[in-house]
Amino acid sequence: MQQQRLLEVWGDTVDSRHLLGAIGLGVGIAVPVYLFAEWGFAELTDGDAVGRSYALVTGLAACIVAAVIAANIFKPKRVVTIGAAAAGGREDAMDAIEAELGPLGNPDELPAAALAEVKELGLYDDLLAQHRKNQARQEAAR
């Protein structure tokens, strides 16, 4: 298997060969379209500045077309892993939130709509465990 040369560009992972291909597509499509539009609009407007502006807009539209083509040819290289969170990760996050904002409270006291959303996000059990942990700390402090 051939080794991929992955680069990070603007926070995304790309294959260097595909990046060069996308740049080549952009140059290969946008530059000729711009030059042709510049010539055509110069003929129509007798070299007026408005004609050059239209040519520039046409060249920009060609850049967008080239980007769409490149996006369809060169698929993303990122790997998304969906799975269980690391053990203790949510508990650590809730401890950090409570350290900044104070106790989260009992999730059963939330309004019905908020409680439904919490359950849908799978956070209800974590919030309830955090609340019970806080209650146990309060009982132990007495």
Side-chain angles (χ1 to χ4, degrees):
M1 184 168 145
Q2 188 176 3
Q3 178 186 1
Q4 287 186 336
R5 301 187 190 282
L6 300 179
L7 304 171
E8 186 172 334
V9 178
W10 295 331
D12 204 357
T13 304
V14 297
D15 185 325
S16 60
R17 294 169 298 161
H18 292 176
L19 178 62
L20 289 174
I23 292 170
L25 270 172
V27 170
I29 291 173
V31 171
V33 167
Y34 167 74
L35 293 174
F36 180 72
E38 186 178 38
W39 170 80
F41 285 119
E43 291 292 318
L44 292 173
T45 63
D46 294 325
D48 191 19
V50 173
R52 288 193 303 272
S53 296
Y54 287 149
L56 182 60
V57 170
T58 305
L60 289 173
C63 286
I64 293 171
V65 169
V68 169
I69 292 170
N72 285 313
I73 293 174
F74 307 120
K75 299 299 179 194
K77 307 300 179 274
R78 62 183 81 86
V79 176
V80 177
T81 304
I82 298 175
R90 286 186 178 182
E91 185 177 338
D92 293 341
M94 287 188 193
D95 287 339
I97 291 169
E98 284 188 339
E100 185 175 330
L101 301 176
L104 295 175
N106 186 351
D108 291 322
E109 295 174 358
L110 291 171
L115 183 60
E117 187 173 349
V118 164
K119 287 181 178 180
E120 184 178 322
L121 291 171
L123 295 174
Y124 177 78
D125 293 333
D126 297 318
L127 289 170
L128 188 59
Q130 188 74 14
H131 176 66
R132 288 180 179 157
K133 182 171 85 172
N134 288 338
Q135 284 181 326
R137 281 185 197 157
Q138 289 175 352
E139 293 295 323
R142 291 181 189 172

